[in-house]
Amino acid sequence: MGPALHKAAEVLKRGDVVYVILGEHGTAQLSQLPQAQAALVALDPRNGAILSMVGGFDFYTNAFNRVTQARRQPGSGFKPFLYSAALENGFTPASVILNQPVVLDDSSDSEERWRPNNSGGEFGGPTRLREALVQSLNLVSIRILQKVGVDTVINYASKFGFDPQSMPRNLSLALGTQISTPLQMATGYTVFANGGFKIDSYLISRIEDESGKAVFEAQPRIACAACEQPESADSKSVPEDRRAPRVISAQNAWLMSDLMHDVATRGTGRRTQELGRDDLAGKTGTTDQPVRDNWFNGFNTNVVASVWVGYDDERSLGENEQGATTAVPIWNLFMREALRGTPSARMARPDGIIDLRVSSITGEPADPADRDAITEVFMADHLPGQLTPADTATTPGTAPASTGKSAGTGGEPIF
């Protein structure tokens, strides 16, 4: 942090204990014990097996397991659950929402009003839902929550394993202000990775006695899409009591994975492209004002891994730190080894998903002559203009949403 050093005596004296990292050519670099902590947990999304768990930098220094015990705010890492709820309540990837400040209440005390902002401080115009998630736009997410309804989203998120009691019943929920452990986050993301099934994590698969006889063997519930087809071989090989329950549709899970694939390729998680794979998806998370928690929750169909970075005493990591700069590099280091030698494993596209050319401005079906039209994907029963969220939905402690033109799944701005 200071001026360049020219000799070791400028920072060391005889008798100091020096940590070093050996380089490739036998050279040594000075190291130090970090003050910040990090945690990583990886799950098999098919059955919940914990593949890897790192609860902190050094167990012998501090035995606190941050994977299971650290209850921290996930920040924007919660947005995929909000957006998944939106897809079930009248929105589509092409829905257009204003990226502008939100009027929250009619309080006369201006100092007490909550003034949310996007992380970069900038505003914009009408924005399609897909781009809002790719850019992690806070103001769009708040508007979506305001339209869908706080209670609706809380009830929906509970399907992924989140405790409704840990969630604030106000619009700050859109920014991930509830508290969750890294294990809870990873478990929630397995629903997207396995096609819509809720699994439970487990650490011990088998215990044997001294003779090799099994005295315990885990019986996890398995995400089995094929089991939904009565004539399939899997439906006969997986007993009904071992089948994980479906909590969201295969179409919703596929669409969310597709949206988060864009996050990982050209959005806030684009540093994952350093791995040179085409099957990665995920979402960064950064708490703001101040920055205390950095996250990355990412996956393919074989591995889900969540990384958290922060201080145990919840002090700021620094105003410029983000999940993309601290958590994603750790995630990359792990996934490079976890996926080494494995082929691409993107989720198969289910029936009930269709392609449609829409206007990049309005999100409505495009005129054949529109040169700026784009191809978007939709659930077959959630096409532009077919569904509308409940316009009467209000949020406790906030002003009711505007009751102008209803928020169709297509494109006109909903506010």
Side-chain angles (χ1 to χ4, degrees):
M1 300 297 291
L5 303 176
H6 301 285
K7 53 185 178 180
E10 294 180 33
V11 291
L12 302 171
K13 64 181 183 298
R14 187 180 298 275
D16 284 345
V17 176
V18 181
Y19 290 89
V20 297
I21 299 175
L22 294 180
E24 295 180 358
H25 304 292
T27 58
Q29 295 178 324
L30 296 182
S31 180
Q32 66 184 48
L33 291 174
Q35 295 183 36
Q37 285 286 347
L40 178 150
V41 61
L43 303 177
D44 183 334
R46 294 162 293 196
N47 59 17
I50 295 179
L51 306 176
S52 182
M53 181 167 62
V54 182
F57 178 74
D58 185 351
F59 176 84
Y60 296 101
T61 300
N62 187 329
F64 184 66
N65 186 347
R66 293 155 190 84
V67 166
T68 60
Q69 296 176 285
R71 294 163 58 81
R72 307 294 288 251
Q73 293 184 352
S76 294
F78 181 75
K79 287 176 182 175
F81 306 103
L82 165 62
Y83 280 54
S84 178
L87 294 179
E88 289 299 320
N89 287 273
F91 288 83
T92 76
S95 294
V96 176
I97 308 98
L98 284 178
N99 178 24
Q100 289 287 338
V102 182
V103 177
L104 296 174
D105 57 38
D106 58 359
S107 171
S108 59
D109 187 352
S110 61
E111 294 300 319
E112 295 298 321
R113 292 180 182 176
W114 182 47
R115 291 181 170 84
N117 204 341
N118 292 322
S119 61
E122 76 290 344
F123 303 134
T127 305
R128 285 178 285 113
L129 182 143
R130 177 182 292 272
E131 296 307 310
L133 186 62
V134 168
Q135 300 174 43
S136 197
L137 298 178
N138 292 339
L139 296 175
V140 171
S141 298
I142 292 170
R143 287 176 177 272
I144 290 173
L145 177 58
Q146 192 172 33
K147 197 66 177 179
V148 175
V150 171
D151 289 340
T152 298
V153 172
I154 289 176
N155 292 334
Y156 188 86
S158 68
K159 298 179 180 180
F160 296 81
F162 295 106
D163 179 8
Q165 300 303 315
S166 72
M167 299 184 184
R169 295 186 177 274
N170 55 55
L171 294 180
S172 72
L173 178 63
L175 309 186
T177 55
Q178 86 279 9
I179 52 176
S180 302
T181 67
L183 183 57
Q184 288 174 324
M185 292 300 295
T187 302
Y189 272 78
T190 61
V191 178
F192 299 128
N194 66 28
F197 299 91
K198 173 63 174 66
I199 53 86
D200 299 312
S201 63
Y202 68 99
L203 184 61
I204 299 174
S205 60
R206 181 182 173 93
I207 300 175
E208 299 177 352
D209 62 18
E210 67 276 6
S211 66
K213 180 181 177 181
V215 296
F216 168 82
E217 195 159 1
Q219 298 290 319
R221 292 189 294 179
I222 298 170
C224 181
C227 293
E228 297 174 326
Q229 306 299 323
E231 301 304 318
S232 72
D234 286 328
S235 68
K236 299 179 177 62
S237 63
V238 180
E240 289 192 15
D241 62 353
R242 292 283 306 281
R243 299 176 188 177
R246 176 174 288 284
V247 292
I248 65 174
S249 70
Q251 292 77 23
N252 187 303
W254 186 90
L255 273 181
M256 287 306 307
S257 295
D258 187 61
L259 293 177
M260 285 187 276
H261 181 257
D262 272 10
V263 173
T265 55
R266 59 185 181 85
T268 57
R270 59 186 174 274
R271 289 187 67 170
T272 61
Q273 294 304 289
E274 295 173 5
L275 300 183
R277 299 184 65 98
D278 67 351
D279 60 343
L280 304 178
K283 184 68 186 75
T284 53
T286 303
T287 58
D288 202 2
Q289 297 177 349
V291 176
R292 293 192 180 100
D293 302 283
N294 284 177
W295 297 76
F296 186 67
N297 310 281
F299 61 91
N300 70 359
T301 59
N302 293 328
V303 181
V304 174
S306 290
V307 173
W308 167 84
V309 179
Y311 288 103
D312 286 339
D313 59 6
E314 299 194 29
R315 55 192 160 111
S316 175
L317 285 164
E319 62 180 12
N320 294 323
E321 295 298 346
Q322 300 175 340
T325 59
T326 61
V328 173
I330 296 172
W331 190 90
N332 282 351
L333 287 170
F334 171 78
M335 291 296 270
R336 187 184 302 277
E337 299 305 318
L339 300 178
R340 186 180 296 278
T342 63
S344 177
R346 290 193 69 180
M347 186 185 304
R349 178 167 167 161
D351 294 336
I353 296 289
I354 66 171
D355 298 297
L356 184 66
R357 295 279 287 174
V358 297
S359 166
S360 61
I361 305 300
T362 68
E364 295 289 347
D367 185 282
D370 185 353
R371 294 184 177 182
D372 295 324
I374 61 171
T375 299
E376 186 53 273
V377 284
F378 300 88
M379 290 188 277
D381 57 351
H382 288 60
L383 300 178
Q386 284 189 351
L387 296 178
T388 61
D391 290 331
T392 58
T394 60
T395 302
T398 67
S402 167
T403 56
K405 182 175 175 62
S406 63
T409 60
E412 291 197 20
I414 64 175
F415 293 106

